[in-house]
Amino acid sequence: NVIDDRELSQIGGALDEMSKVDPALAEIFDLKFFCGFSFAEIAGIQGITERTVQRKWEKARIYLHRSIRADLTQ
């Protein structure tokens, strides 16, 4: 899946908003999506369980998806 500049900009904007609401969630998304770390690596960095990272990753993806979709409908 190739991401174009517009999509990357939308993700970046939504990630900025998420970092204001939940900085830890934004950090997990950043580490996974942009840095390419595994769930296990992120868990080690943050000192939490891998399962917690997976749950937060899903929450972040849902948040960003809704945020971007809302952005497109305006």
Side-chain angles (χ1 to χ4, degrees):
N1 224 5
V2 177
I3 297 176
D4 66 26
D5 289 341
R6 190 174 134 263
E7 289 173 317
L8 201 52
S9 177
Q10 289 172 327
I11 291 168
L15 190 56
D16 287 344
E17 286 300 312
M18 183 171 40
S19 69
K20 294 174 189 170
V21 176
D22 193 334
L25 215 56
E27 183 181 9
I28 286 174
F29 189 85
D30 187 46
L31 290 170
K32 179 75 176 148
F33 186 80
F34 292 109
C35 300
F37 286 108
S38 69
F39 292 129
E41 290 169 323
I42 296 168
I45 291 167
Q46 293 204 331
I48 56 179
T49 67
E50 190 174 344
R51 183 66 191 121
T52 297
V53 173
Q54 290 172 339
R55 280 194 304 272
K56 289 182 179 226
W57 165 253
E58 285 304 315
K59 186 177 177 183
R61 286 182 58 226
I62 291 166
Y63 179 97
L64 290 172
H65 177 74
R66 287 180 180 161
S67 178
I68 291 168
R69 195 172 67 207
D71 218 23
L72 293 175
T73 59
Q74 291 179 356

